Amino acid sequence: MNYTSEFWTSVLLAFVTGSVATGLIVWSSVRAKEAQKKAQVIPDGITGALHALATAGLVLDVDNKIVRATRSAFALGLVRDQVLVHPKLVSLVDKARKAKKSSKARAKDFALASELGDATIWVNSRAVHLGEGYVLLLVEDRTESHNLEETSRDFVANISHELKTPIGAMSLLSEAIQSAADDPKQVRKFAKNLETESARLTQLVQDIIQLSRVQSAEVAGTAAEIDLATVVAEAVDRNRVLANKKKIQLKIATTDGIRVFGDQELLTTAVKNLLENAISYSDTESPVSIRLRKKSGVAEIAIKDKGAGISPEDLDRIFERFYRVDQSRSRATGGTGLGLSLVKNIAQKHLGEVQVKSKVGAGSTFTIRIPLATAPIDATGSKK
Ligand code: ADP
């Protein structure tokens, strides 16, 4: 090899090395720019902020592809294969992107049908353009509060309907009394009916007031320690007249010292209602029993009758407000259809439950189950 060829080889090598180095520098600066651009369009804080949100949050790019999404967005079933499942949400996102003032959020309430089954979720959605075609979509699940509103609307409608019946009857009866003023026998008959309707109205109003009190009552945490034997004794006392009228013997088996945290009056109402039903839906002279006992950390009050019993279809519905199996029988016994709903609410407020076993023609057993009050633990950790 002579000097000339050595010279040219070095020049070539220097050129190749220089080109590769320059290429690398250019390539890395392009990548850095791209990365910078990306960082600019989805601001750093967005991801962190999304995870801090209680609502579902998503960021969509200019092609409506989801580039960021919180776990709750998946849990709500909003995302499949990096796209939004619901066309209504897509259209809200598109509108936000096209908005002239990019910072102005678009908000809308939607009922979104689930992909499977017939469930619907009720959401409040907000979309805002972040710039460069990126849109932030926030979706708040309001299904629970929507259902609650619907239930209370139904309740108000039901109350109005239930109140209209005795009020209408009272108004007709008072007219009838006036027309029959010259016939004392008829007047006495109508006056008696008026008294019955008035008693029904009083009972209905009392049950409605009690139910709304129970629903807003804060029992757990603020409750006193209650001996359930006194609750049972009081509930039995309140049913003595009714039981005697039907010659029904009440068999009582209780043990002292079974204590729960609770509200004495509410618990008495619950047991009284169950006892009243057991007597009302039993034939004359059919026995009714009440047993109070402890079972694996739980206090149980079981009320057993050998009365009409309840069919399996009705068993699923008897705890609903205003539900009565037999309208005419319930009217005859003066029932409002709220008794069991009250019992269920009271049991739940005491962190407990109510169970029922029943067979048509053989009778029913309703059992209230409430956790026993545990002994307080003092600062040294020993039980008092
Ligand atoms: P009501 O005021 O009509 O008694 P409840 O809410 O107390 O309303 O009870 C709902 C329905 O459940 C009643 O109409 C009745 O048909 C049925 N039911 C409740 N307790 C008994 C029972 N011990 N035996 C048979 N049926 C019962």
Side-chain angles (χ1 to χ4, degrees):
M1 193 186 288
N2 58 32
Y3 283 113
T4 323
S5 68
E6 246 178 39
F7 170 76
W8 283 115
T9 311
S10 326
V11 167
L12 195 68
L13 253 172
F15 178 75
V16 171
T17 321
S19 306
V20 169
T22 315
L24 273 173
I25 290 166
V26 170
W27 180 75
S28 67
S29 90
V30 167
R31 285 297 302 266
K33 265 192 189 156
E34 265 179 10
Q36 199 182 9
K37 199 175 153 201
K38 254 192 190 163
Q40 268 174 0
V41 287
I42 308 178
D44 273 351
I46 285 286
T47 310
L50 275 185
H51 291 301
L53 287 173
T55 52
L58 311 104
V59 178
L60 297 98
D61 71 9
V62 72
D63 301 317
N64 276 346
K65 209 166 121 194
I66 294 164
V67 290
R68 298 278 187 282
T70 58
R71 208 180 272 262
S72 44
F74 290 91
L76 273 181
L78 305 178
V79 187
R80 197 185 351 99
D81 300 332
Q82 268 197 292
V83 292
L84 276 174
V85 168
H86 302 282
K88 287 173 186 169
L89 294 178
V90 176
S91 128
L92 184 75
V93 167
D94 286 339
K95 275 186 191 143
R97 191 178 287 116
K98 282 182 204 141
K100 284 200 181 100
K101 271 194 183 166
S102 66
S103 60
K104 200 166 174 271
R106 299 246 150 190
K108 205 146 187 191
D109 291 332
F110 292 121
L112 304 175
S114 67
E115 287 186 288
L116 287 178
D118 55 3
T120 302
I121 56 164
W122 302 83
V123 298
N124 173 263
S125 330
R126 305 181 141 260
V128 65
H129 192 189
L130 297 173
E132 308 284 336
Y134 285 88
V135 174
L136 171 68
L137 174 67
L138 301 173
V139 182
E140 189 187 349
D141 182 8
R142 293 205 174 154
T143 311
E144 204 170 312
S145 70
H146 177 273
N147 290 347
L148 211 69
E149 273 169 35
E150 207 161 66
T151 314
S152 65
R153 253 201 315 273
D154 282 356
F155 187 41
V156 172
N158 283 337
I159 287 176
S160 319
H161 174 77
E162 296 287 335
L163 287 174
K164 268 185 199 153
T165 317
I167 291 173
M170 286 168 82
S171 146
L172 286 174
L173 284 164
S174 63
E175 274 174 30
I177 289 174
Q178 284 179 42
S179 320
D182 301 332
D183 184 346
K185 209 172 148 200
Q186 285 287 73
V187 169
R188 264 199 298 280
K189 187 182 143 203
F190 292 142
K192 184 88 194 107
N193 291 348
L194 194 62
E195 200 182 310
T196 310
E197 291 302 329
S198 142
R200 178 163 298 146
L201 190 61
T202 310
Q203 185 63 51
L204 188 59
V205 171
Q206 263 174 12
D207 280 0
I208 291 168
I209 293 172
Q210 207 155 23
L211 191 58
S212 57
R213 264 207 206 122
V214 172
Q215 282 173 337
S216 57
E218 281 297 329
V219 173
T222 58
E225 235 182 279
I226 312 287
D227 188 334
L228 286 179
T230 61
V231 167
V232 170
E234 176 63 25
V236 167
D237 256 11
R238 293 191 196 174
N239 275 292
R240 279 268 182 238
V241 176
L242 187 65
N244 289 342
K245 218 163 134 186
K246 288 187 84 172
K247 297 198 180 88
I248 283 181
Q249 192 200 344
L250 300 176
K251 293 182 188 165
I252 307 156
T254 61
T255 319
D256 284 341
I258 299 185
R259 295 173 165 273
V260 297
F261 289 117
D263 181 308
Q264 176 111 16
E265 182 50 36
L266 290 183
L267 288 170
T268 308
T269 301
V271 181
K272 185 215 109 194
N273 283 1
L274 290 181
L275 209 47
E276 197 174 300
N277 280 349
I279 299 168
S280 301
Y281 297 103
S282 288
D283 288 337
T284 329
E285 293 183 22
S286 173
V288 168
S289 69
I290 309 129
R291 188 191 59 200
L292 164 64
R293 66 168 179 175
K294 268 187 210 180
K295 200 183 163 193
S296 339
V298 176
E300 280 190 358
I301 304 172
I303 288 126
K304 187 174 177 184
D305 66 60
K306 292 185 176 166
I310 304 157
S311 71
E313 308 85 67
D314 288 319
L315 270 186
D316 291 339
R317 303 203 53 198
I318 50 171
F319 292 98
E320 288 174 19
R321 289 177 260 189
F322 297 117
Y323 186 80
R324 299 153 173 126
V325 175
D326 178 346
Q327 290 281 348
S328 57
R329 178 156 190 175
S330 175
R331 259 184 89 76
T333 59
T336 60
L338 289 176
L340 287 181
S341 169
L342 254 168
V343 174
K344 187 179 172 185
N345 272 279
I346 293 171
Q348 285 175 342
K349 283 279 172 182
H350 287 80
L351 310 177
E353 60 174 358
V354 50
Q355 293 177 341
V356 54
K357 278 192 188 140
S358 189
K359 205 170 166 202
V360 176
S364 320
T365 305
F366 284 82
T367 309
I368 299 181
R369 304 181 75 244
I370 296 171
L372 286 169
T374 46
I377 297 169
D378 68 20
T380 61
S382 57
K383 283 191 175 181
K384 278 185 180 169

